[in-house]
Amino acid sequence: MRKLLLPISMLYYIVLYIRHKFYDWGLLKSRSYDIPNICVGNLNLGGTGKTPHIEYMINLLSDEFKVAVLSRGYGRKTKGYLLANSNHSHKDIGDEPLQYFKKFNDIRIAVDENRCEGVEKLIQEENPPQVILLDDAYQHRKIKPGLNILLTDYYNLYSTNNLVPAGILRDIKKAANRADIIVVT
């Protein structure tokens, strides 16, 4: 069945390839920020350990820096920028941001489907963070992170897979070239 879906995957490849080239050529713009930001993401659909890796980064950095996590907030019923507080539920900010919020009370957790606006609002906060962790933002090319960490599952390496719908990749394999670090989980 997957072989029958390869033509659709090839069309998707062409669209993604052109999109990446537009960013590479500067036709689509990426923003850089003065504040350090670290992107943690993957090329696969589904889990590769992003949430545990974000938690590891929080533990690693939060003793020395004011850390914030910015997520899109997948599955939430709200829109726009929200800075997590004790009144929010998973419906407001999403499952993973809520998990971070409950687990780490000394950092800021924010959600915004527009990550550029989310970073700008975090920077404008009183007592802004010193480091922003961008959760699941590898495909989000509008921000040029200071450090790009790409995760791949040992049992489903991106290098041995195909684009959807013939495989489980949501981005082309060449996108891995943007990674500063590749972690096999």
Side-chain angles (χ1 to χ4, degrees), residues 117-158:
E117 286 183 16
V119 167
E120 290 162 17
K121 288 184 178 177
L122 278 168
I123 291 170
Q124 293 169 5
E125 292 278 335
E126 185 176 318
N127 198 11
Q130 296 170 303
V131 177
I132 298 175
L133 300 175
L134 302 168
D135 183 20
D136 196 16
Y138 198 79
Q139 285 75 28
H140 186 81
R141 300 273 320 255
K142 288 184 180 179
I143 294 179
K144 183 174 173 51
L147 182 66
N148 243 333
I149 301 173
L150 177 67
L151 305 180
T152 186
D153 180 2
Y154 176 81
Y155 297 103
N156 278 311
L157 296 172
Y158 75 86

Side-chain angles (χ1 to χ4, degrees), residues 71-78 82-85 88-99 101 109-111:
S71 175
R72 184 167 183 215
Y74 294 104
R76 68 187 177 125
K77 305 295 183 207
T78 59
L82 281 176
L83 187 61
N85 66 47
H88 289 137
S89 72
H90 70 280
K91 292 178 182 177
D92 301 314
I93 61 173
D95 291 338
E96 290 155 351
L98 183 63
Q99 178 178 321
F101 180 77
I109 309 298
V111 294

Side-chain angles (χ1 to χ4, degrees), residues 20-163:
H20 285 300
K21 282 300 179 189
F22 281 7
Y23 275 105
D24 295 343
W25 295 332
L27 297 173
L28 295 174
K29 302 292 182 196
S30 295
R31 288 212 44 201
S32 295
Y33 293 92
D34 292 335
I35 185 171
N37 53 76
I38 301 169
C39 170
V40 176
N42 62 10
L43 300 181
N44 295 19
L45 290 172
T48 55
K50 291 183 302 290
T51 301
H53 199 83
I54 288 284
E55 291 180 358
Y56 171 75
M57 298 294 292
I58 292 168
N59 283 320
L60 187 67
L61 297 169
S62 64
D63 285 343
E64 294 188 38
F65 302 99
K66 289 181 275 183
V67 176
V69 175
L70 178 62
S71 175
R72 184 167 183 215
Y74 294 104
R76 68 187 177 125
K77 305 295 183 207
T78 59
K79 297 279 185 208
Y81 178 81
L82 281 176
L83 187 61
N85 66 47
S86 58
N87 296 324
H88 289 137
S89 72
H90 70 280
K91 292 178 182 177
D92 301 314
I93 61 173
D95 291 338
E96 290 155 351
L98 183 63
Q99 178 178 321
Y100 302 143
F101 180 77
K102 288 185 173 190
K103 204 168 194 180
F104 303 99
N105 54 12
D106 55 342
I107 68 166
R108 291 194 179 117
I109 309 298
V111 294
D112 197 331
E113 60 274 6
N114 183 326
R115 294 184 200 254
C116 290
E117 286 183 16
V119 167
E120 290 162 17
K121 288 184 178 177
L122 278 168
I123 291 170
Q124 293 169 5
E125 292 278 335
E126 185 176 318
N127 198 11
Q130 296 170 303
V131 177
I132 298 175
L133 300 175
L134 302 168
D135 183 20
D136 196 16
Y138 198 79
Q139 285 75 28
H140 186 81
R141 300 273 320 255
K142 288 184 180 179
I143 294 179
K144 183 174 173 51
L147 182 66
N148 243 333
I149 301 173
L150 177 67
L151 305 180
T152 186
D153 180 2
Y154 176 81
Y155 297 103
N156 278 311
L157 296 172
Y158 75 86
S159 59
T160 61
N161 228 300
N162 293 311
L163 275 172

Side-chain angles (χ1 to χ4, degrees), residues 169-180:
L169 296 182
R170 61 179 169 173
D171 205 344
I172 62 176
K173 293 176 189 178
K174 287 184 180 183
N177 294 341
R178 291 193 329 275
D180 298 299

